[in-house]
Amino acid sequence: MSSYPPSILYLHGLNSSPLSQKASQLSAALDQLGLADRLRVPALHHHPRQAIAQLEACIAELGRPLLVGCYATHLAERHGLKALLINPAVMPHRRFDGYLGPQTNLYSGEVWDLTEDHVAALAELETSSPEDAERYQVWLQTGDETLDYRDAAQFYRGCALRIQAGGDHGFHGFEERLPAL
């Protein structure tokens, strides 16, 4: 049995990119540890069905990676993988009222339309609370301006929860907490 650390598959959120702050911080931290070759940060399509297809291919290639980020609960439950969730959205398909229509990716400049089909695809990915809570770490900040951390705390209540006062949706201080990963 190898003691070499598993690969890490970082899953950026909807309308984000591999150039996001957390992806960049994770990449720099692993580079400092000499583990940069263990990280994969694919550029995901904005449509959830296409993003999931991309991620399924990555998992097939990497074997049993640690999942970090968006879509991680769905994929961890499907494949029995470990996951780190950072200010996760619970039932994200219920959060798009008033947001349908043109979107611009802040990193790539790509303009695309958020449609009801995107929302339906997110609903298809909904899972119940994790079956094996020991496979999950959930990092929450109470100051998340986008999501109510209490929703995730309730949904992931059996998991290893780290709830920090303050912060924001981007997870203030992410870089300093990476050694816990």
Side-chain angles (χ1 to χ4, degrees), residues 10-175:
Y10 183 85
L11 322 170
H12 66 73
L14 186 68
N15 213 24
S16 190
S17 97
L19 300 175
S20 72
Q21 183 175 356
K22 285 192 294 270
S24 298
Q25 290 172 339
L26 182 56
S27 179
L30 290 175
D31 190 43
Q32 285 183 331
L33 295 170
L35 298 172
D37 63 323
R38 306 303 299 161
L39 177 64
R40 178 76 54 83
V41 187
L44 300 176
H45 194 276
H46 60 79
H47 196 287
R49 287 188 199 104
Q50 289 178 293
I52 289 294
Q54 289 175 272
L55 294 168
E56 291 284 358
C58 288
I59 290 169
E61 179 185 332
L62 297 172
R64 301 198 49 78
L66 168 66
L67 305 175
V68 179
C70 190
Y71 305 116
T73 302
H74 169 79
L75 292 165
E77 288 298 296
R78 181 176 168 102
H79 296 283
L81 300 173
K82 292 183 178 182
L84 168 61
L85 308 168
I86 305 151
N87 287 333
V90 176
M91 295 182 270
H93 60 282
R94 297 184 181 177
R95 302 186 181 278
F96 289 104
D97 286 345
Y99 294 100
L100 296 179
Q103 307 292 317
T104 302
N105 185 299
L106 299 176
Y107 298 96
S108 68
E110 176 190 13
V111 177
W112 56 279
D113 281 324
L114 178 63
T115 67
E116 289 289 346
D117 191 53
H118 286 82
V119 175
L122 286 171
E124 293 166 6
L125 302 175
E126 186 176 333
T127 66
S128 55
S129 292
E131 290 181 24
D132 181 2
E134 291 184 16
R135 290 188 286 115
Y136 292 83
Q137 283 190 41
V138 183
W139 297 358
L140 304 171
Q141 290 188 325
T142 63
D144 186 333
E145 71 284 4
T146 304
L147 304 168
D148 186 336
Y149 80 96
R150 293 171 292 199
D151 293 339
Q154 175 63 27
F155 186 82
Y156 295 101
R157 66 186 165 276
C159 302
L161 291 172
R162 295 178 184 206
I163 302 174
Q164 179 185 7
D168 56 30
H169 187 64
F171 203 92
H172 180 74
F174 176 70
E175 189 170 32

